[in-house]
Amino acid sequence: MTKAITPRSRKVRVLATLGPASNTPEMIEALYNAGADAFRLNMSHGDQAGKLPVIAAIRALEKKYGRPTTILADLQGPKLRVGRFAGGRAMLATGSRFVFDRSDVPGDATRVQLPHREIFAAIEVGARLLLDDGKLVLRVVEHDTDRIVTRVEVGGALSDNKGLNVPDVVVPVPALTEKDRSDLAFAVQAGVDWIALSFVQRPEDLMEARTLIEGKAALLAKIEKPAAIDRLEEIVEQCDGVMVARGDLGVELPPQNLPPLQKRIVEVSRRLGRPVVVATQMLESMITSPSPTRAEVSDVATAIYDGADAIMLSAESAAGDWPVESVAMMNAIGDAVERDPAHGDRIHFTVMRPDPTTADALAEAAKTIAATTGATAIVCYTTSGSTARRIARERPSVPILVLTPSTVTARRLGLLWGTHAVHTRDVESFEEMVAKAKRMALRHKIARAGETVIVLAGVPFKTPGSTNVLHVVRLTGEELKDFG
């Protein structure tokens, strides 16, 4: 018998990054109880062997609490870096000339090695080169196959192997490095639910990862390069989920451009029915402080009002001094925002137009019927998760109880807005469909005696992609009498 686990009171999901401050079984359970719905493993840090006990601890929660757990493995992606300097660092003066070349001779205040031949081929006059997370800004004045000559617009100290961003051109660097391929193979073998791909610039960048995953995990595209914005809809169409990765995106763009872009990425993802995660520096001050700033709370609230599926903690939960408190704060902000009477109107500022399919029409109808009749919940049967995604895309005013025979599907839905997934045996008939939906709604306390729920399913049963039934039922409270 399926255990009865009460759903979260909020619909937005909380994704917590695990790291040195939070990777023990005790801390992972504490984060879960504080409100974490899904866990991110940052493949940039630590080794693969060290991730195995963390994955096991997350899955142990599934057995203990009877609720599917969700794991996202975030690949590092290619890192563009300069070479080394004589003495370890150099001071680049504003207005001076500075050259990047192919020589491995240690650099100085006039030049340094750039060990990425792809940049020499792609760079253009007038393009910016950003160094050390955007602290230094250089502008290209001339270039050839072996040299890039720049003018320093914002100078400063530059030390060995600092990062380089090239925001104004598409750099023909594969999104997957050898390390990423190894990490991806490990993560899929370990049974993670989502793979996050960094350095996505074009829809083609997703193809290799999709091939290597072989359908064993869902693919999330991190939007962190300005080039990705130019082909945003194509990229979103080619992935299973999206992350607004505001760290690198904020380095490569003027900061004032980031808020409207965030809203655009969320809007496009919602319109195309892909879960969207807003990430990076959401509660940054809580790395060292037990309380966030008011501006940070407002930032998190804005993402929730925009209708993001999930909000993510990075260093706050992975390496900060207050990981549990950070998750609890995300949970509290989500609850407070969704209790706002204006929340429902605000998340529907994005107009959803259903595709001309029966499944989309029923998903939209379910939202409308719930609002009109005062139904308490929507219960949907799904094998692949597509029905749940269609309903969540509409952002109904009631929670979505998802019943699926697939453990894989149940786990992947941990990033989807408003859903409470239950892994359970499939049904064989219409009568069983209705009876089971009523029992599960009561057992999981998503509805009570006397309340109405809306049921969506597909006939013939056990046929993925066949959603064609919408049924409205009232609970008597006696449905569990013979089932305990």
Side-chain angles (χ1 to χ4, degrees):
M1 184 179 73
T2 305
K3 296 180 183 178
I5 305 299
T6 304
R8 305 283 193 198
S9 60
R10 55 174 162 73
K11 298 181 177 70
V12 68
R13 307 291 87 179
V14 174
L15 174 60
T17 302
L18 299 179
S22 56
N23 59 13
T24 64
E26 296 77 15
M27 281 298 299
I28 293 169
E29 184 171 7
L31 296 183
Y32 175 84
N33 286 322
D37 300 291
F39 297 95
R40 171 178 173 255
L41 306 179
N42 188 349
M43 305 306 292
S44 299
H45 303 295
D47 58 18
Q48 293 174 0
K51 301 290 192 298
L52 289 173
V54 176
I55 292 171
I58 298 170
R59 294 302 188 215
L61 295 176
E62 187 169 277
K63 296 178 181 178
K64 181 172 181 177
Y65 290 96
R67 181 182 181 185
T69 54
T70 303
I71 305 173
L72 179 146
D74 194 337
L75 304 180
Q76 175 176 290
K79 295 298 180 184
L80 305 179
R81 300 186 184 279
V82 300
R84 301 177 68 84
F85 291 90
R89 68 199 298 266
M91 182 62 69
L92 278 59
T94 298
S96 66
R97 180 178 182 269
F98 191 81
V99 177
F100 297 91
D101 58 36
R102 307 282 291 279
S103 170
D104 60 4
V105 174
D108 55 28
T110 65
R111 60 154 295 278
V112 75
Q113 180 191 23
L114 184 58
H116 303 284
R117 65 172 64 244
E118 302 89 349
I119 297 177
F120 290 89
I123 203 66
E124 299 172 354
V125 171
R128 291 168 298 152
L129 298 179
L130 310 179
L131 298 162
D132 193 9
D133 288 335
K135 296 183 181 68
L136 286 75
V137 181
L138 288 68
R139 184 84 58 175
V140 177
V141 295
E142 60 179 276
H143 64 92
D144 57 35
T145 56
D146 296 309
R147 294 167 74 250
I148 300 174
V149 181
T150 70
R151 183 180 68 259
V152 180
E153 293 189 346
V154 178
L158 184 62
S159 53
D160 294 345
N161 305 128
K162 282 297 183 182
L164 171 74
N165 293 80
V166 189
D168 300 329
V169 297
V170 176
V171 181
V173 175
L176 288 171
T177 65
E178 285 304 316
K179 170 179 165 53
D180 294 330
R181 293 185 186 94
S182 174
D183 287 341
L184 187 153
F186 161 79
V188 169
Q189 179 66 30
V192 308
D193 309 298
W194 287 84
I195 299 289
L197 186 63
S198 301
F199 213 86
V200 175
Q201 301 180 94
R202 306 160 298 171
E204 293 82 3
D205 290 334
L206 298 163
M207 295 173 60
E208 182 182 2
R210 179 75 77 187
T211 300
L212 293 173
I213 290 171
E214 295 181 326
K216 296 175 182 175
L219 179 60
L220 183 143
K222 294 171 66 177
I223 307 300
E224 55 189 349
K225 305 292 293 179
I229 303 301
D230 297 333
R231 302 184 67 181
L232 180 60
E233 294 208 11
E234 295 173 82
I235 290 170
V236 174
E237 287 175 344
Q238 293 298 318
C239 65
D240 302 305
V242 176
M243 181 185 291
V244 188
R246 304 186 303 180
D248 280 334
L249 195 58
V251 168
E252 300 200 359
L253 290 167
Q256 66 271 21
N257 290 0
L258 197 53
L261 269 182
Q262 173 177 315
K263 289 181 180 294
R264 180 183 168 197
I265 296 167
V266 171
E267 185 272 329
V268 170
S269 301
R270 285 187 55 192
R271 180 160 46 80
L272 295 178
R274 305 299 194 273
V276 55
V277 181
V278 176
T280 317
Q281 295 181 330
M282 300 211 81
L283 297 177
E284 183 86 351
S285 68
M286 289 194 74
I287 295 173
T288 56
S289 169
S291 299
T293 67
R294 304 301 181 264
E296 288 167 341
V297 172
S298 181
D299 176 44
V300 174
T302 295
I304 299 170
Y305 279 119
D306 287 344
D309 290 81
I311 45 181
M312 190 183 99
L313 293 166
S314 299
E316 301 97 328
S317 59
D321 296 334
W322 308 93
V324 175
E325 291 79 1
S326 297
V327 171
M329 179 55 64
M330 284 291 222
N331 181 71
I333 297 169
D335 276 335
V337 169
E338 292 181 10
R339 285 197 303 269
D340 177 5
H343 172 254
D345 291 333
R346 291 184 183 279
I347 62 170
H348 289 112
F349 282 175
T350 299
V351 177
M352 297 292 114
R353 293 184 174 85
D355 293 333
T357 65
T358 301
D360 267 29
L362 290 179
E364 185 182 41
K367 178 191 74 172
T368 303
I369 292 171
T372 303
T373 65
T376 305
I378 297 171
V379 182
C380 78
Y381 289 85
T382 184
T383 300
S384 66
S386 63
T387 302
R389 289 190 296 273
R390 283 187 172 98
I391 300 169
R393 174 177 177 261
E394 298 296 328
R395 298 296 190 262
S397 58
V398 297
I400 306 163
L401 177 61
V402 183
L403 306 180
T404 178
S406 169
T407 303
V408 169
T409 295
R411 288 170 172 170
R412 291 182 189 177
L413 293 177
L415 290 182
L416 188 64
W417 186 94
T419 55
H420 178 74
V422 176
H423 177 225
T424 185
R425 184 179 58 81
D426 211 345
V427 293
E428 304 282 348
S429 67
F430 185 87
E431 292 76 14
E432 186 183 2
M433 174 198 83
V434 174
K436 187 166 197 169
K438 293 166 77 173
R439 290 199 308 273
M440 288 296 186
L442 286 169
R443 182 174 293 154
H444 290 268
K445 299 179 174 58
I446 206 165
R448 294 175 298 182
E451 294 180 337
T452 299
V453 298
I454 299 163
V455 185
L456 270 74
V459 177
F461 298 103
K462 299 184 179 181
T463 305
S466 65
T467 301
N468 56 9
V469 172
L470 186 154
H471 191 62
V472 182
V473 297
R474 182 173 293 275
L475 306 180
T476 66
E478 299 294 316
E479 288 85 356
L480 292 175
K481 186 175 181 181
D482 298 325
F483 289 86

